[in-house]
Amino acid sequence: MIDIRGFMQKNKKLFSALGMILLVALIFWAVNSPTIVGASATERLLPIYNVQRDDKVVAMSFDAAWGNEDTQILIDILDKYNVNTTFFVVGDWVDKFPESVKALADAGNEIMNHSSNHAHFSKLTEEQIVEDVNNCNNKIEKITGKRPTLFRCPYGEYDDHVVKAINSMGMTAIQWNVDSLDWKEISPEEIQQRVLKNVEPGSIILFHNAAKNTPAALPGIIESLQSQGYKIVPVSQILLQGEYTIDHKGTMIPK
């Protein structure tokens, strides 16, 4: 007859090691379980990265925070192709270049909020965020006559309390799902390849004004998208009307 107790005592260390491995495996499964991951993610407050759409519509957006040397060039390119986009502008940029803000708006582009001075919003309280955003909204509205309804977080950084503060103002936080990386001064060809490879119906594309090679890359991107049957619109026009949800990837989905 097998002495089970003796066998277990002799192999106590082995069983302890196996138990620890099993415990680690269970913890790993729990953390990475699709059901659990999905549940925790949907509880987070997220900006909108893109929109679930069946029609071939995409939105172009530009962040304006620093320079201004190419704003009129961008306006002329967009006008040539009969395209309007959204410019998320920083309040300090509005102070420095009010004539460019007006020119962008007069050309039919949306002027939306990118904060007052490009601060790290996760370090601010909700009250400070609201004050910062309102200050920028006031500057934009004074020039364009329209108060922004969309907001893009500086550096693309956010957490629940940032999104909550924006939502409390009746505004919508907007990210992107196609990043041109134009700010890295990659070549016009690389910018085009990145955008065209990743774009899909409902995409929100990120560019920057004052990025070195964006004006050279933009015509080819627009021509290619239009030849594929895409309609290019400002961000507000790609968003869904009525009730919606935002999934764990930041996709806006109709209910």
Side-chain angles (χ1 to χ4, degrees):
M1 183 174 179
I2 298 174
D3 183 0
I4 298 297
R5 180 176 294 178
F7 176 79
M8 292 182 68
Q9 286 179 342
K10 289 180 181 179
N11 294 276
K12 188 175 181 180
K13 290 184 179 180
L14 174 62
F15 282 104
S16 295
L18 289 174
M20 183 61 68
I21 292 171
L22 179 60
L23 178 61
V24 170
L26 285 171
I27 292 172
F28 180 83
W29 174 85
V31 170
N32 292 278
S33 167
T35 302
I36 295 174
V37 170
S40 63
T42 54
E43 290 172 2
R44 291 185 61 204
L45 295 176
L46 295 173
I48 295 170
Y49 282 72
N50 64 311
V51 182
Q52 180 178 295
R53 297 189 64 128
D54 296 325
D55 52 345
K56 299 187 77 171
V57 180
V58 297
M60 278 188 179
S61 64
F62 293 80
D63 288 357
W66 317 119
N68 189 44
E69 53 271 22
D70 64 0
T71 302
Q72 188 56 52
I73 298 172
L74 295 175
I75 291 173
D76 292 341
I77 293 171
L78 295 172
D79 183 63
K80 176 183 177 181
Y81 294 99
N82 195 29
V83 167
N84 290 129
T85 66
T86 302
F87 281 75
F88 289 93
V89 301
V90 169
D92 288 349
W93 193 84
V94 176
D95 290 336
K96 292 178 182 178
F97 310 111
E99 70 288 346
S100 291
V101 176
K102 188 176 188 306
L104 285 165
D106 288 348
N109 298 289
E110 287 185 336
I111 311 300
M112 296 295 177
N113 194 315
H114 193 32
S115 81
S116 286
N117 52 25
H118 216 265
H120 291 276
F121 267 39
S122 60
K123 297 180 180 180
L124 304 180
T125 65
E126 288 187 30
E127 293 75 15
Q128 289 172 324
I129 291 171
V130 170
E131 181 180 5
D132 181 291
V133 174
N134 270 327
N135 285 339
C136 185
N137 278 347
N138 292 339
K139 294 175 181 180
I140 294 170
E141 186 176 22
K142 184 177 180 181
I143 295 173
T144 67
K146 296 180 179 179
R147 195 164 187 81
T149 57
L150 306 179
F151 176 79
R152 175 164 285 161
C153 297
Y155 308 101
E157 295 176 353
Y158 64 88
D159 56 22
D160 281 2
H161 98 284
V162 173
V163 179
K164 180 181 177 183
I166 299 304
N167 291 345
S168 75
M169 302 176 69
M171 299 180 70
T172 304
I174 301 293
Q175 292 283 97
W176 59 87
N177 73 320
V178 179
D179 190 347
S180 68
L181 292 183
D182 56 354
W183 61 274
K184 288 190 172 183
E185 296 191 358
I186 59 178
S187 70
E189 293 74 22
E190 289 176 290
I191 295 172
Q192 290 179 9
Q193 289 171 7
R194 282 193 56 83
V195 172
L196 297 175
K197 179 179 67 175
N198 294 299
V199 75
E200 60 185 7
S203 284
I204 298 174
I205 307 169
L206 172 65
F207 296 101
H208 297 78
N209 87 309
K212 181 179 179 181
N213 292 316
T214 302
L218 197 56
I221 292 171
I222 294 174
E223 289 174 7
S224 180
L225 289 174
Q226 290 180 336
S227 70
Q228 295 176 51
Y230 278 102
K231 181 180 180 181
I232 303 168
V233 300
V235 173
S236 69
Q237 293 183 25
I238 205 171
L239 302 181
L240 301 174
Q241 302 300 312
E243 294 188 357
Y244 65 88
T245 59
I246 299 176
D247 73 6
H248 66 282
K249 294 181 179 180
T251 302
M252 187 184 201
I253 301 173
K255 282 189 175 181

